[in-house]
């Protein structure tokens, strides 16, 4: 088979396990990346391309929503804050972790994230009896990693470069017992994937260094932290932080999405966050400080502590649309890895087998292996071309010719001098002589004394096509191969038969998500089952906008017009609105475990909760009614959430309620506030329904409930968890969805400045299955002391 036959799509499919993402991949590329038509873009490791739908959806978002500075408390600022927090959760979900384990600190990019670690790490210069900190890094590291030593050197910290082979050849089985007491902090940095060659380093090195099983940690007592430079890796590969719990992970988002640029993040393991110390503090990072005295208290939240000033919130909001587009087009990072690796492997096989007419190879490829598996090799191919006499052709010449063919590649050392020296056999002395000869990083001086100063790199992205490979290979054959073009068939066959090993068991694909939080209108009942989270199915659903941020009645008052009804016999939730057909959602738990159900991370009163998407039918119904894209989400049945303020020894579990399982209000209290309001605001009526309580009592004195410790309804004992802090919800007419005159002014004045109304209740999980007990209209027995009890009528309200 000659070279032109090998450049056919049929030949490509013989050595590629997966191409595209289902459907017509070519149509998707033409629709989403029309601007690249006629261009062979092979520089995705530098910056990948963004799909057009990302920009359309993003511009529609910021054109229709008012986003304010998240440090304020206005509605526009709250929308920004909630959306930014939603994006943090989505970033963590993308890397298979949660806010319980990691925090997201937004930066201007990966380099800024690295600089933050360098400036904040608690470097120790050592003492008489104890050695100081070590800053260790793999020699195959980006300039921005090596540059951290500029921060550590003035502190007396030892910088120790480590060659890749040293990580295994000098390992030890276990740590000596006498070293265990040493707590000197050390930092080891290494890339998950080399940006020079695409070599993937074992993610198991993270635990190996932390446990001091690998060099240099095995030789140096102390506490070892690991910084995993993931910038190159995450562009085309999944990364599960469950498998490699690195302490610090810097990334740049344009490597993944193409847009936005100038935005990155530092993912910090919460166990390691406490060691980071700052000297400078900017806006938003201080809990308190004095301008006339050296007094400063940092905020508790890790992200806020290190994000000086206002974050680039519009760029962060763009990430939401970037995730949506990426997963909609590709399905998962695992699919991207398979697709891009197939393209890179095919290009490697043909380029490494391509020969001049005299039989000499055309390319010298810089790689550790032979593209056997996407576990060990990324979608990067680094090489230099050779003439028919075996001499290297300068990379600048290759670059200029490629530009004439509208082929975009990258040349030089790619900000990775260590790998460049190792692969091109350039000594330290030669590097210095090259500088004396006038060569500096980034210039076009590709040869000094006939020896290369850099190389050519092609890299693939999720939108790369077979035609990109084909055009590149034909370009090389046409411009740099002495005719006739030949192929080393023996080598090619060997590479073909080797084939990439199966990797299914090693993959941990990321999951697409969409988030938010809100509660629905009321359905009045005379009795209802009691479950482990409160009234069965109470506050179990929420509505979120297209960014996954909650649509509460504070933002969307028309939500109160939706009349949800739970039909236990039919096992369905029905959503009803006057003038629209009713839509239903199944109550079955098994439905939420279906493969098509999307896992969501949402927030309720600052708590992150796990939810599941309820499907397109409910989403379409809600979107039509509310006039904006939104979705219905339900709390996952296997997710548990505890109260922040636990009453007594109780440990109640919560649904998507604000703070407690139940809200109870007193009709007498409402009546008193109504009287106070009437004296100040004419024609204003405060109905109990506006408080959307679970239980409404009659017969007690106004605000008598504030002093209760517990109460009993039938056989169910309730503990009073505290007063309820009310919000603007009472200013929404629950029958019309219109905002009324705000009653909180009178309420605040009456309650000495503390805006509260009603009390929160909780109960222990009833014995037996969920819903075994039934709460019915009857009498309440409340007790402050064993002998002190009274009876009041109780009414069940809605959820």
């Amino acid at each position: 088979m000659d070279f032109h036959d090998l450049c056919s799509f049929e030949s490509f499919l013989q050595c590629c396990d997966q191409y595209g993402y289902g459907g017509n991949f070519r149509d998707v590329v033409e629709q989403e990346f029309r601007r690249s038509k006629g261009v062979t873009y092979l520089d995705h490791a530098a910056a990948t391309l963004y799909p057009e739908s990302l920009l359309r959806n993003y511009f529609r978002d910021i054109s229709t929503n008012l986003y304010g500075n998240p440090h304020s408390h206005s509605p526009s600022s709250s929308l920004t804050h909630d959306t930014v927090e939603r994006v943090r959760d989505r970033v963590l979900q993308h890397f298979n972790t949660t806010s319980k384990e990691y925090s997201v600190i937004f930066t201007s990019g990966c380099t800024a994230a690295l600089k933050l670690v360098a400036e904040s790490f608690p470097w120790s210069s050592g003492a008489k009896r104890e050695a100081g900190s070590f800053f260790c890094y793999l020699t195959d590291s980006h300039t921005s990693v090596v540059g951290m030593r500029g921060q550590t050197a003035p502190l007396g910290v030892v910088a120790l470069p480590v060659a890749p082979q040293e990580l295994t050849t000098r390992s030890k089985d276990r740590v000596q017992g006498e070293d265990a007491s040493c707590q000197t902090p050390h930092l080891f940095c290494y890339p998950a994937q080399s940006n020079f060659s695409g070599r993937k380093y074992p993610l198991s090195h993270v635990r190996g260094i932390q446990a001091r099983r690998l060099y240099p940690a095995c030789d140096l007592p102390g506490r070892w932290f690991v910084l995993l430079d993931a910038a190159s890796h995450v562009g085309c590969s999944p990364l599960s932080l469950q498998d490699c719990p690195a302490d610090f992970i810097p990334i740049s988002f344009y490597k993944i999405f193409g847009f936005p640029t100038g935005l990155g993040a530092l993912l910090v393991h919460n166990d390691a966050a406490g060691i980071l110390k700052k000297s400078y503090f900017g806006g938003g990072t201080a809990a308190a400080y004095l301008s006339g005295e050296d007094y400063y208290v940092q905020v508790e939240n890790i992200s806020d502590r290190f994000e000086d000033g206002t974050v680039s919130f519009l760029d962060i909001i763009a990430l939401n649309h970037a995730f949506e587009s990426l997963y909609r087009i590709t399905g998962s990072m695992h699919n991207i890895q398979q697709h891009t690796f197939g393209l890179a492997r095919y290009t490697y096989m043909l380029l490494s087998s391509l020969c001049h007419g005299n039989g000499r190879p055309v390319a010298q490829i810089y790689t550790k292996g032979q593209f056997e598996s996407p576990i060990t090799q990324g979608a990067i191919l680094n090489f230099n071309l050779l003439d028919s006499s075996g001499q290297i052709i300068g990379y600048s010449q290759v670059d200029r010719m490629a530009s004439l063919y509208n082929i975009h590649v990258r040349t030089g050392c790619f900000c990775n001098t260590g790998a460049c020296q190792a692969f091109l056999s350039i000594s330290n002395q030669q590097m210095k002589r090259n500088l004396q000869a006038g060569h500096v990083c980034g210039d076009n001086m590709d040869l000094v004394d006939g020896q290369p100063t850099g190389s050519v790199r092609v890299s693939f992205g999720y939108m790369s096509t077979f035609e990109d490979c084909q055009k590149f290979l034909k370009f090389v054959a046409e411009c740099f191969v002495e005719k006739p073009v030949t192929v080393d068939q023996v080598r090619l066959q060997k590479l073909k038969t080797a084939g990439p090993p199966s990797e299914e068991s090693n993959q941990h694909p990321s999951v697409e998500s969409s988030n938010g939080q809100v509660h629905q209108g009321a359905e009045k009942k005379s009795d209802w089952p009691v479950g482990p989270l409160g009234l069965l199915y109470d506050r179990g659903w929420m509505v979120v906008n297209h960014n996954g941020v909650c649509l509460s009645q504070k933002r969307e008052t028309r939500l109160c017009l939706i009349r949800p009804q739970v039909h236990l016999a039919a096992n369905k939730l029905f959503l009803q609105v006057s003038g629209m057909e009713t839509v239903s959602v199944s109550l079955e738990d098994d439905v939420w475990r279906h493969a098509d159900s999307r896992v969501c991370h949402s927030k309720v009163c600052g708590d992150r909760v796990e939810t599941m998407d309820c499907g397109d039918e409910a989403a379409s119904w809600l979107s039509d009614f509310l006039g904006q894209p939104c979705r219905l989400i339900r709390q996952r049945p296997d997710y548990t959430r505890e109260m922040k303020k636990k009453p007594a020894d109780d440990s109640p579990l919560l649904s998507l309620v604000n703070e407690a399982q139940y809200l109870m209000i007193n009709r007498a209290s409402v009546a008193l506030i109504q009287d106070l309001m009437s004296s100040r605001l004419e024609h204003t009526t405060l109905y109990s329904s506006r408080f959307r309580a679970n239980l409404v009592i009659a017969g007690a004195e106004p605000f008598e409930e504030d002093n209760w410790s517990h109460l009993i309804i039938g056989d169910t004992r309730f503990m009073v968890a505290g007063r309820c802090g009310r919000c603007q919800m009472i200013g929404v007419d629950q029958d019309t969805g219109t905002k009324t005159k705000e009653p909180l002014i009178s309420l605040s004045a009456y309650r000495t400045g503390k805006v509260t109304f009603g009390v929160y209740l909780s109960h222990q999980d009833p014995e037996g299955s969920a819903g075994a007990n039934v709460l019915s209209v009857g009498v309440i027995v409340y007790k402050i002391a064993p002998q002190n009890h009274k009876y009041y009528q109780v009414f069940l309200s809605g959820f």
Side-chain angles (χ1 to χ4, degrees), residues 142-174:
H142 192 277
T143 300
S144 298
V145 172
V146 181
M148 295 171 69
R149 71 186 185 200
Q151 177 72 25
T152 63
L155 303 176
V157 174
V158 177
L160 178 62
V162 179
Q165 63 271 20
E166 291 182 293
L167 282 174
T168 54
T169 58
R170 297 183 60 180
S171 64
K172 291 184 177 180
D173 293 333
R174 57 182 177 272

Side-chain angles (χ1 to χ4, degrees), residues 611-666:
T611 56
M612 299 292 287
D613 191 281
C614 293
D616 293 337
E617 184 180 6
S620 177
W621 188 91
L622 287 166
S623 299
D624 290 343
F625 172 65
L626 296 176
Q628 61 174 301
C630 53
R631 302 194 71 84
L632 181 67
I633 286 174
R634 179 189 179 186
Q635 183 173 3
R636 288 184 59 173
D638 56 350
Y639 177 78
T640 59
R641 169 183 170 229
E642 294 185 357
M643 285 182 59
K644 293 179 181 178
K645 298 179 180 180
K646 301 176 183 178
D649 296 329
D650 203 357
S651 298
L653 301 178
L654 304 181
S655 60
L656 300 180
V657 295
N658 288 350
E659 297 181 41
Q661 293 175 332
Y662 305 90
L663 170 63
M664 185 191 73
I665 63 171
N666 181 357

Side-chain angles (χ1 to χ4, degrees), residues 631-743:
R631 302 194 71 84
L632 181 67
I633 286 174
R634 179 189 179 186
Q635 183 173 3
R636 288 184 59 173
D638 56 350
Y639 177 78
T640 59
R641 169 183 170 229
E642 294 185 357
M643 285 182 59
K644 293 179 181 178
K645 298 179 180 180
K646 301 176 183 178
D649 296 329
D650 203 357
S651 298
L653 301 178
L654 304 181
S655 60
L656 300 180
V657 295
N658 288 350
E659 297 181 41
Q661 293 175 332
Y662 305 90
L663 170 63
M664 185 191 73
I665 63 171
N666 181 357
R667 283 183 175 176
S669 303
V670 176
L672 178 58
I673 294 299
Q674 170 66 53
D675 292 341
L676 293 172
M677 288 173 52
S678 298
S679 64
R680 304 178 63 173
L681 301 172
E682 295 183 0
H683 309 298
T684 300
T685 304
L686 183 62
Y687 295 105
S688 299
S689 61
R690 292 193 191 170
F691 295 88
R692 299 164 57 249
N694 302 110
L695 307 174
V696 181
I697 62 170
E701 294 296 321
F703 298 108
E704 185 179 351
E705 66 277 9
D706 287 355
N707 298 317
W708 295 353
S709 63
H710 62 275
L711 52 94
I712 298 173
I713 305 177
D715 297 328
T716 306
R717 178 186 177 91
F718 297 84
M719 301 301 298
V720 176
R723 296 180 179 181
C724 167
R726 295 309 302 166
C727 57
Q728 294 96 320
M729 212 75 75
I730 1 179
V732 179
D733 190 312
Q734 297 295 298
D735 294 322
T736 65
T738 58
K739 288 188 176 181
T740 62
K741 292 184 179 181
E742 181 57 65

Side-chain angles (χ1 to χ4, degrees), residues 239-250:
L239 176 64
S240 171
L241 296 182
Q242 296 297 320
D243 300 330
C244 58
D247 300 288
F248 312 105
I249 305 98

Side-chain angles (χ1 to χ4, degrees), residues 695-698 713 776-780 792-796:
L695 307 174
V696 181
I697 62 170
I713 305 177
S776 303
V777 171
V779 294
I780 292 179
Y792 299 106
Q793 188 74 23
V794 61
F795 303 90
L796 281 174

Side-chain angles (χ1 to χ4, degrees), residues 340-555:
T340 56
F341 175 76
L343 296 173
R345 180 172 181 263
Y346 168 76
T347 306
Y348 164 76
M349 289 171 58
L350 264 65
L351 185 62
S352 63
S353 303
L354 193 60
C355 297
H356 293 281
N358 62 5
R360 286 182 175 270
V362 170
Q364 179 175 334
I365 299 179
Y366 307 117
T367 179
K368 178 65 175 177
Q370 295 186 336
F371 283 70
E372 298 93 344
S373 167
I375 299 298
T376 57
Q377 177 64 45
I380 292 176
L381 182 61
N382 197 309
F383 61 92
N384 270 317
L385 296 181
L386 309 172
D387 61 22
S388 58
S389 63
Q391 298 299 308
I392 287 181
I393 301 172
Y395 61 73
S396 292
Q397 183 179 345
V398 178
D399 193 15
R400 286 193 294 269
M401 289 299 297
S403 297
L404 294 176
Y405 281 73
N406 217 354
I407 297 174
H408 300 213
V409 299
R410 177 80 178 269
T411 59
C413 271
F414 324 106
C415 294
N416 192 333
T417 299
C420 193
Q421 284 187 257
F423 280 109
L424 275 61
S425 300
I426 307 175
S427 66
N428 291 345
Q429 292 73 20
Q430 185 61 49
M431 290 290 291
K432 295 174 182 178
R433 286 196 294 269
N434 291 347
L435 178 62
Q436 294 172 352
H439 170 62
V440 296
C441 292
D443 68 10
N444 294 322
M445 187 178 290
D446 49 22
L447 298 173
V448 175
D449 298 331
Q451 298 301 311
T453 61
S455 56
V456 183
R457 185 185 73 183
V458 298
S459 52
F460 300 90
Y462 73 81
M463 70 297 298
S464 296
T465 64
F466 161 73
E467 287 75 19
D468 293 330
C469 303
Q470 186 182 54
K471 290 178 181 178
F472 168 73
L473 291 167
K474 288 184 175 181
F475 153 73
V476 172
E478 181 177 338
C479 297
F480 297 101
V481 178
E482 183 181 272
K483 308 305 183 287
V485 179
T486 60
V487 175
D488 185 341
Q489 296 289 348
V490 175
R491 173 175 173 79
L492 182 60
Q493 190 60 35
K494 182 180 179 181
L495 292 174
K496 278 187 176 181
T497 55
S502 173
E503 51 161 335
E504 292 296 325
S505 60
N506 296 318
Q507 295 307 308
H508 300 272
S510 302
V511 193
E512 191 173 0
S513 68
S514 113
N515 301 348
Q517 60 205 15
V518 78
H519 313 309
Q520 300 307 324
E523 176 193 2
K524 295 182 179 179
K525 290 289 182 180
S526 60
D527 57 71
W528 196 254
V530 174
L533 307 183
L535 294 177
L536 196 61
Y537 300 119
D538 179 28
R539 270 82 166 178
W541 291 266
M542 60 179 109
V543 177
V544 297
N545 68 8
H546 62 284
N547 282 331
V549 176
C550 74
L551 290 178
S552 67
Q553 287 190 29
K554 288 182 286 186
R555 290 177 178 160

Side-chain angles (χ1 to χ4, degrees), residues 189-442:
C189 307
Y190 82 99
Q193 174 180 295
S194 170
N195 74 306
F196 184 94
S197 66
R199 176 185 179 182
K200 290 184 178 179
Y201 290 96
L203 299 178
S204 60
H205 286 349
V206 170
R207 284 193 170 96
I209 291 293
Q210 291 171 335
R212 295 186 57 205
R213 292 192 300 267
L214 298 177
Y215 174 83
C218 60
D219 289 349
L220 298 170
R223 185 182 178 189
W224 280 86
F225 296 87
V226 176
L227 184 150
L228 182 70
D229 179 7
S232 178
H233 178 94
V234 298
C236 292
S237 302
L239 176 64
S240 171
L241 296 182
Q242 296 297 320
D243 300 330
C244 58
D247 300 288
F248 312 105
I249 305 98
I251 58 173
S252 286
F253 290 109
Y254 70 93
K255 303 279 188 181
I256 309 174
F257 308 116
F259 179 87
T261 58
L263 181 67
L266 177 67
L267 310 184
V268 182
H269 199 291
N270 292 336
D271 290 343
I275 71 163
L276 299 180
K277 307 297 179 183
K278 286 183 61 181
S279 53
Y280 174 82
F281 60 92
T285 65
Y289 77 95
L290 296 175
S291 60
E293 181 182 329
D294 186 12
Y295 178 80
Y296 163 70
V297 178
Q298 64 187 8
V299 294
E300 289 294 326
N301 183 274
I302 296 170
S303 300
D304 292 342
R305 193 184 308 168
F306 289 94
E307 290 173 350
D308 293 306
T310 300
V311 294
S312 184
F313 55 87
L314 290 182
D315 287 331
I316 295 172
I317 290 170
L319 288 182
N320 226 4
H321 302 284
F323 278 113
E324 290 289 348
S325 296
L326 183 77
Y327 282 103
R328 175 176 48 79
I329 294 171
T330 68
S332 71
M333 289 303 297
H334 171 69
N335 293 339
I336 294 175
Q337 178 174 259
Q338 294 296 95
H339 172 81
T340 56
F341 175 76
L343 296 173
R345 180 172 181 263
Y346 168 76
T347 306
Y348 164 76
M349 289 171 58
L350 264 65
L351 185 62
S352 63
S353 303
L354 193 60
C355 297
H356 293 281
N358 62 5
R360 286 182 175 270
V362 170
Q364 179 175 334
I365 299 179
Y366 307 117
T367 179
K368 178 65 175 177
Q370 295 186 336
F371 283 70
E372 298 93 344
S373 167
I375 299 298
T376 57
Q377 177 64 45
I380 292 176
L381 182 61
N382 197 309
F383 61 92
N384 270 317
L385 296 181
L386 309 172
D387 61 22
S388 58
S389 63
Q391 298 299 308
I392 287 181
I393 301 172
Y395 61 73
S396 292
Q397 183 179 345
V398 178
D399 193 15
R400 286 193 294 269
M401 289 299 297
S403 297
L404 294 176
Y405 281 73
N406 217 354
I407 297 174
H408 300 213
V409 299
R410 177 80 178 269
T411 59
C413 271
F414 324 106
C415 294
N416 192 333
T417 299
C420 193
Q421 284 187 257
F423 280 109
L424 275 61
S425 300
I426 307 175
S427 66
N428 291 345
Q429 292 73 20
Q430 185 61 49
M431 290 290 291
K432 295 174 182 178
R433 286 196 294 269
N434 291 347
L435 178 62
Q436 294 172 352
H439 170 62
V440 296
C441 292

